[in-house]
Amino acid sequence: MKRNKLFLIVLVVALLTFALSACSSTPKKEADKSVSDESLKNVTDSKVLRVGMCPEYPPFESINQKNEIVGFDPSLASAIADKMGVTVKFVNTPWEGLITGLNNGDFDVIMSAMSPEEATAATKAVELSENYYTLADVIVVRSDNKDINSKENLAGKIVGVQDACSAAQAAEGLAEMNIKVAKLNHYNRNAEAYAELANGRIDAIVVSASYANEQAKNNPEFKVINDPIHEVGIAVVAKQGSVALIDKFEEVIKQLKSDGTYDSIVLEWLAAE
């Protein structure tokens, strides 16, 4: 009899333990389901796509005489927003503040000629699209320079780069090519590096090809050396977890490439003259 009572007690305890365990697991499952990706819904509900960019890099993004942000990235972002049925809002942000602004919710995505390497160097907590354009980093010298005709000629020279960008990574990688520069000067902006080059305080700049060609076109004081140091892709950058929004961007960019819109934007802003 005592054994039967003991058996019943053990059985009841076991059943209660199982029930409590099952009940306690339910909220966790519900919590997991409740962590949903609202990134695309937030844009479509607000009907506004907020795009962060630093408009200091023509022809990718710059400010025209009407104080409008124009360039390859703004035109592509506008076309993407149009396909999504929303309006686009450009948020003028200093380069070094783009990732912080993204994480603070100041905008939905970054489209500012930013490479995946540049984005992830700042933080791993981002979502990246496939590269939507490929940039080459090249050498710029003064037009009267006869000594530098290739990257190998940078050995023993003073080279300038904008800090925290793909060109800086390219210049820092020269050592791996057995090209040892005399000094690598880092600047906050490309404009500062160009001023130093014009004044003869540095021998060359490493910068993206599109930016370099734009500057050379408008200023014959500089020339571009046609010997790319390396190539890098540029991508749409969103906050970590914004998978739905990035997926939508990739879908729309494929549509724009298919219907010819993408090529028209490239021709307008990036085609060499």
Side-chain angles (χ1 to χ4, degrees):
M1 194 70 170
K2 289 181 179 179
R3 287 181 180 177
N4 289 339
K5 286 183 179 180
L6 181 61
F7 174 78
L8 287 172
I9 291 170
V10 171
L11 180 61
V12 169
V13 170
L15 289 172
L16 284 172
T17 302
F18 175 79
L20 288 170
S21 174
C23 290
S24 66
S25 67
T26 302
K28 186 177 187 302
K29 289 181 180 178
E30 290 176 355
D32 289 344
K33 290 180 180 177
S34 69
V35 181
S36 57
D37 178 2
E38 301 287 326
S39 57
L40 178 58
K41 185 177 184 297
N42 290 338
V43 172
T44 54
D45 285 354
S46 68
K47 298 190 181 301
V48 178
L49 174 65
R50 300 169 302 154
V51 181
M53 57 179 60
C54 177
E56 299 178 10
Y57 305 95
F60 283 91
E61 43 268 328
S62 61
I63 297 177
N64 65 13
Q65 294 180 344
K66 297 179 181 179
N67 205 34
E68 301 166 326
I69 297 179
V70 297
F72 174 70
D73 283 326
S75 292
L76 183 58
S78 295
I80 291 169
D82 187 57
K83 284 279 190 185
M84 292 174 64
V86 300
T87 58
V88 67
K89 177 183 178 182
F90 303 127
V91 184
N92 187 337
T93 306
W95 175 262
E96 59 273 14
L98 283 169
I99 294 294
T100 300
L102 179 70
N103 288 330
N104 287 344
D106 297 340
F107 31 84
D108 304 298
V109 296
I110 297 169
M111 287 184 70
S112 194
M114 182 175 286
S115 71
E117 293 82 3
E118 290 166 336
T120 55
T123 177
K124 303 297 182 186
V126 291
E127 300 293 342
L128 300 165
S129 74
E130 295 179 2
N131 294 333
Y132 61 86
Y133 193 76
T134 300
L135 284 172
D137 288 313
V138 297
I139 303 161
V140 175
V141 297
R142 292 183 300 277
S143 294
D144 59 359
N145 186 295
K146 306 297 182 184
D147 298 329
I148 301 174
N149 300 295
S150 69
K151 53 181 168 284
E152 286 77 16
N153 297 148
L154 292 177
K157 301 295 193 297
I158 302 175
V159 179
V161 290
Q162 177 177 298
D163 200 16
C165 70
S166 66
Q169 295 169 356
E172 288 161 1
L174 287 169
E176 297 175 8
M177 305 178 198
N178 294 318
I179 302 170
K180 187 176 180 180
V181 302
K183 188 178 181 182
L184 187 60
N185 289 356
H186 290 256
Y187 301 94
N188 290 326
R189 292 290 184 271
N190 281 321
E192 297 173 29
Y194 270 84
E196 293 282 272
L197 180 62
N199 291 327
R201 285 191 279 269
I202 59 177
D203 301 302
I205 299 171
V206 175
V207 67
S208 72
S210 297
Y211 186 92
N213 290 330
E214 184 77 8
Q215 298 303 310
K217 180 175 67 177
N218 297 321
N219 192 336
E221 185 178 3
F222 305 112
K223 68 178 179 181
V224 180
I225 305 302
N226 189 23
D227 184 22
I229 293 177
H230 90 318
E231 291 185 337
V232 63
I234 59 175
V236 181
V237 185
K239 188 184 294 188
Q240 188 175 48
S242 301
V243 177
L245 185 57
I246 288 295
D247 285 348
K248 186 64 176 179
F249 265 73
E250 292 186 346
E251 173 191 326
V252 172
I253 290 172
K254 286 178 182 177
Q255 293 173 3
L256 295 174
K257 288 183 175 181
S258 179
D259 67 20
T261 303
Y262 177 88
D263 287 341
S264 296
I265 295 170
V266 170
L267 185 64
E268 178 183 4
W269 293 105
L270 304 179
E273 294 185 356

